[in-house]
Amino acid sequence: MPRALKIILIILLFIGFFEAGLLSSYTIITSEAPDVKGLIDLQISTIADFFSSENINSVLIKDPQKINITNEDDVATNLSALAKVDGIDINTMNVTTYSDTENGEIDVNITALGFSSPNTTSGQIVLSGTPDYLITATAKANVTSSGIIIDLSTIRILSILKLFGGTNNSTINGSTVNAGSSNSNSNGTITIG
């Protein structure tokens, strides 16, 4: 018997034992006769989803594509409201995608720096000239003939990192992480009062 035929027979036996075990365990757990067609359809759809182009693209490592959006002011306003910060630095807002920009709707990732509300300590108001937060979010965008427009209702905040000046650290849920901020507390602040 050729070696290829033996391998095919072993694979078929494995699939047969797997299916028999699946059907018998379904019967034991539910105390009902199994819906064979439904179980096979579920397996086929799960395997098809696993090998779909979206999952394969997420496995393949590629650089995100930076895109320009036409409604960046609205996105910044919406981001500041969702992240509960005083404002967003539009100059540092970065919108990228792994999707093909020729499609009608694409998934985008947004990163932006945000400003905190002015601090008031002992009768003084301190306005910071440097951003205090790093905000990352995802959204859906529509590719139109006039440009790429982010759907504001689909913006979802993924994380908000507090940037501390001079310490290079950020705190997330009580743990300290390096955030890459190297500005000292005295630089970029204006004290009123």
Side-chain angles (χ1 to χ4, degrees):
M1 193 185 281
R3 181 180 169 105
L5 188 58
K6 287 181 183 178
I7 292 173
I8 291 173
L9 276 173
I10 290 172
I11 290 173
L12 288 175
L13 282 172
F14 175 76
I15 292 173
F17 280 119
F18 176 79
E19 293 298 325
L22 180 69
L23 294 175
S24 62
S25 64
Y26 181 87
T27 304
I28 291 170
I29 291 172
T30 61
S31 300
E32 297 176 358
D35 178 15
V36 178
K37 183 183 182 316
L39 286 173
I40 291 174
D41 288 344
L42 175 68
Q43 293 174 49
I44 290 172
S45 67
T46 303
I47 291 171
D49 287 345
F50 183 74
F51 290 109
S52 70
S53 62
E54 293 172 358
N55 285 338
I56 291 174
N57 284 341
S58 68
V59 170
L60 297 175
I61 299 172
K62 60 180 181 178
D63 292 332
Q65 177 184 358
K66 187 175 185 325
I67 58 173
N68 295 321
I69 56 172
T70 57
N71 61 340
E72 62 184 8
D73 291 334
D74 296 333
V75 171
T77 304
N78 199 321
L79 268 180
S80 67
L82 289 172
K84 295 181 174 69
V85 295
D86 198 41
I88 298 290
D89 186 3
I90 292 181
N91 296 327
T92 62
M93 191 162 55
N94 189 15
V95 181
T96 59
T97 186
Y98 288 100
S99 303
D100 183 14
T101 54
E102 295 176 3
N103 293 339
E105 185 177 80
I106 58 174
D107 294 320
V108 295
N109 300 318
I110 307 167
T111 6
L113 294 176
F115 297 96
S116 62
S117 300
N119 295 332
T120 57
T121 55
S122 66
Q124 296 180 342
I125 300 175
V126 180
L127 299 176
S128 176
T130 57
D132 301 307
Y133 296 99
L134 175 64
I135 301 161
T136 57
T138 60
K140 299 239 183 244
N142 295 315
V143 181
T144 63
S145 58
S146 60
I148 299 174
I149 301 169
I150 291 183
D151 183 2
L152 300 178
S153 64
T154 62
I155 295 177
R156 189 172 62 97
I157 301 289
L158 295 178
S159 68
I160 303 170
L161 300 175
K162 173 76 171 156
L163 303 175
F164 290 102
T167 60
N168 283 347
N169 293 331
S170 289
T171 304
I172 307 171
N173 294 333
S175 59
T176 304
V177 226
N178 188 349
S181 174
S182 60
N183 296 326
S184 66
N185 286 334
S186 60
N187 291 343
T189 60
I190 301 170
T191 305
I192 300 174

